[in-house]
Amino acid sequence: MNSEQADNAVTFRMPPERMAPDGVTDLMEQKNYVNAPYPLLAQLRAEGPVRRVMFAGVPVWLVTRHEDIRAASKDPQLSNDPRRGNRAVQSAPWAFATETYTVTRNMLRCDPPDHTRLRALVAGEFTPGRIEALRPRIQEITNDLISRFLPLGRFDVITDFAKRLPLTVISEVLGVPAEGRDTFARLAGVYVEMSEGDLSRMPHAASEMRDYLSGLLRAKRESPTGSDDLLGRLLEADIQEDEVISMSFLLMVAGFETTANLIGSGVLALLEHPGQLDMLRRDPHLMGQAIDEILRYNGPIKMAPVLRITTCDMQIGDVTVPGGGEAVLLSYGAGNRDPDRFAEPDRFDILRDSRGHLAFGHGIHHCLGAPLGKAEGTIALLALLERCDELALAVDPSELTWGHSRFMRGLTSLPVTFRPVPRGTTP
C-alpha cells in the first residue's frame, strides 16, 4: 500500500478522551492530522464547511470550502493581527499575540496600512523579471547539489537536495553568508515544528535569531563596500531595524521551508504515480502544469500559518461568525481537495487545470515569493528527471514520516535510488 492508498483508507473517528470539554474536536490531537490530513479534512468539510473545532488548544472557526476560503482571504473584516484576538487567542503562545518576539512581528501578522507599506518594500525583489534573472543561478546551485550524490546512485531527497537548494537561494537573495545558513535553517525549524506541547525552545530560538540578524545587519552597515542584496537595500529604506529583522525571518522561513516541501512532495507524488512520471519524462514542457498540480494535490501548507481574527459579526459561507476577536482558521489543504472546485480532487493528474489552488494563499497576503518557489521547484524536478533515471523509493512507503507542524506539510526524509545519467545524454 503506498502513502496515497493509506491516506485514502483513513477514517476519522474521534475517541471520547480526545474531545475538548465542550465536545469540540482538537485537530492537533489527531495522529492523522500530521500523517494523513485529507480524509480528516474532507469529513469535516462534509459535516460543515464552516465549523467550530479546537486547534492546538484554541477554539477556532475552521473553513474548509474553496469558495469560502477565497472570500474570507479577501474580507477586510478579518484581521491578521493576533493582538486583536479574544482571550483564547491571547493565551496561546504559538499565536504570538502577546509575546514580544521581534522575529514574529512581521507583515504576515499585520493589516493595512502597515502591511501595505512593508510589502511594498520587498515586492520589487520578486517580480517576474527578477525571478527570470535568478534562473541561471538556481540552475547552477541545482547542478552542484546533484553532482554531489550523482555517483552514489542514492540520496535523500529532503536532506541532500530539497532543503539545501531553497536555503542557498533565499540566503543569497537576502545576503546571508554561507557560514550562517545552517543556523538560520535550525532556528526556522524550531518555529515551523513548534506545537502546542513543545513551546520551550521558541524563546531561546527567537532571541538567538534576533541576535544573529542584528549582528549581520551591523556588519552590512559597517561594510565599506556596501551590500548589494535584499538586506542591504532594506537598511537603506525608511524602515526600523526591528522591521528589517522580522522581514528577514519571514522571508527566510517562507522561502526555505515551503519550497523544500514542494520539491519533496513533488518527487513522492511522481514516484507514487509512475504513469504521470513517464508522461513528464516524455514531455518536460508539462512541468509547469505539474508544479501547480503538486501544489494543489499535496501543497506545503495545509493550514494558513496565521489565524484570522473577527472584528465584527460576519458571514462566512452559510455561517454567521461572531465578532469580538474570534479566531478563523483557513484550511488551504482542504480547499485544494474541495470536489466543488476540483473534480476527483484526490486524484493526482498533471494534465488537469490546477490554477486557482490555494497553496500560496489568496488576497493581500498571497505569498510574495510564490514565483520564486515555483521556479525553484520546476528547475529542481526537471534536473532530477534528466540526471536520475529509474528513480525509486529506497524504503517502504509506510516508513515515510511527515514533519510535526500545525500548518506546514512536508516529509522529514525521502530516501531514493536511481541510475545516474551523464549530462547531455537521454535517460
Side-chain angles (χ1 to χ4, degrees):
M1 178 182 291
N2 65 26
S3 66
E4 180 193 24
Q5 292 168 330
D7 195 29
N8 290 335
V10 174
T11 299
F12 172 52
R13 295 185 178 91
M14 177 62 68
E17 65 272 18
R18 293 303 189 186
M19 300 295 283
D22 59 356
V24 179
T25 303
D26 192 317
L27 294 184
M28 287 298 294
E29 292 294 321
Q30 288 295 297
K31 66 177 182 179
N32 295 333
Y33 178 74
V34 171
N35 294 322
Y38 298 113
L40 166 63
L41 294 173
Q43 182 167 340
L44 291 172
R45 185 178 55 243
E47 293 174 354
V50 181
R51 59 170 289 170
R52 287 279 268 188
V53 300
M54 292 292 289
F55 187 69
V58 178
V60 303
W61 294 88
L62 178 67
V63 184
T64 51
R65 189 163 55 192
H66 186 278
E67 179 182 0
D68 296 338
I69 295 169
R70 283 177 63 92
S73 298
K74 297 186 295 183
D75 196 325
Q77 296 176 110
L78 285 173
S79 170
N80 268 48
D81 189 341
R83 293 172 296 184
R84 304 180 72 173
N86 59 21
R87 183 177 300 178
V89 175
Q90 296 281 331
S91 64
W94 61 265
F96 304 112
T98 58
E99 284 72 14
T100 56
Y101 304 139
T102 300
V103 294
T104 60
R105 292 281 180 234
N106 52 55
M107 64 179 176
L108 196 58
R109 289 185 171 82
C110 67
D111 304 315
D114 285 340
H115 172 268
T116 308
R117 172 180 61 85
L118 292 171
R119 188 174 176 106
L121 290 170
V122 293
E125 303 288 335
F126 299 97
T127 62
R130 294 300 288 265
I131 302 306
E132 192 62 30
L134 284 172
R135 280 181 172 273
R137 179 56 183 151
I138 297 171
Q139 186 70 64
E140 184 179 7
I141 297 167
T142 299
N143 292 343
D144 176 65
L145 290 172
I146 290 178
S147 69
R148 301 179 191 184
F149 55 73
L150 193 66
L152 305 177
R154 62 186 302 123
F155 71 109
D156 190 308
V157 174
I158 307 301
T159 58
D160 296 330
F161 186 65
K163 289 200 170 186
R164 293 181 183 274
L165 173 60
L167 178 62
T168 304
V169 172
I170 195 63
S171 294
E172 291 187 358
V173 169
L174 288 170
V176 176
E179 60 270 19
R181 292 169 191 171
D182 287 343
T183 297
F184 235 126
R186 173 175 56 82
L187 297 175
V190 172
Y191 168 74
V192 169
E193 294 177 9
M194 189 182 70
S195 64
E196 181 192 4
D198 184 18
L199 304 171
S200 60
R201 294 186 297 160
M202 188 59 196
H204 178 73
S207 176
E208 188 178 351
M209 180 66 81
R210 177 188 166 81
D211 291 345
Y212 173 77
L213 286 170
S214 294
L216 179 59
L217 294 176
R218 183 169 56 253
K220 290 182 179 294
R221 194 180 292 110
E222 295 172 355
S223 172
T225 59
S227 183
D228 185 21
D229 49 51
L230 179 50
L231 290 184
R233 289 187 283 278
L234 285 174
L235 284 173
E236 297 173 358
D238 183 17
I239 182 174
Q240 300 175 11
E241 180 165 310
D242 280 356
E243 291 178 324
V244 178
I245 291 173
S246 64
M247 179 76 77
S248 305
F249 179 74
L250 172 62
L251 294 176
M252 193 72 181
V253 172
F256 163 47
E257 291 283 352
T258 54
T259 305
N261 293 345
L262 161 61
I263 296 170
S265 295
V267 172
L268 178 62
L270 292 171
L271 290 178
E272 291 185 334
H273 300 83
Q276 305 284 300
L277 176 59
D278 290 343
M279 195 185 307
L280 261 184
R281 286 194 186 279
R282 292 194 304 269
D283 188 359
H285 292 96
L286 292 173
M287 185 58 77
Q289 284 181 241
I291 291 293
D292 275 322
E293 175 64 353
I294 291 164
L295 288 166
R296 182 206 68 81
Y297 179 74
N298 202 4
I301 303 176
K302 57 180 178 277
M303 295 288 181
V306 174
L307 294 173
R308 264 57 169 192
I309 308 298
T310 61
T311 59
C312 61
D313 292 357
M314 60 180 298
Q315 197 77 12
I316 302 180
D318 299 326
V319 176
T320 299
V321 179
E326 291 280 304
V328 175
L329 180 62
L330 307 179
S331 177
Y332 297 156
N336 284 338
R337 295 281 188 110
D338 183 353
D340 288 340
R341 177 60 180 83
F342 300 103
E344 298 180 79
D346 296 324
R347 180 170 58 86
F348 180 67
D349 179 7
I350 65 172
L351 295 181
R352 86 159 75 226
D353 184 357
S354 301
R355 291 174 298 179
H357 64 71
L358 299 164
F360 293 115
H362 187 63
I364 64 171
H365 290 283
H366 180 269
C367 179
L368 192 65
L372 176 59
K374 291 177 73 171
E376 291 175 276
T378 298
I379 291 170
L381 292 182
L382 282 174
L384 287 180
L385 295 188
E386 179 184 342
R387 306 300 305 280
C388 304
D389 194 22
E390 300 174 16
L391 201 61
L393 277 174
V395 297
D396 189 89
S398 64
E399 297 180 40
L400 299 177
T401 59
W402 298 85
H404 193 272
S405 170
R406 293 183 312 280
F407 53 90
M408 292 282 196
R409 178 157 172 81
L411 289 161
T412 59
S413 177
L414 184 59
V416 297
T417 60
F418 65 95
R419 180 178 64 83
V421 178
R423 188 189 301 276
T425 61
T426 302

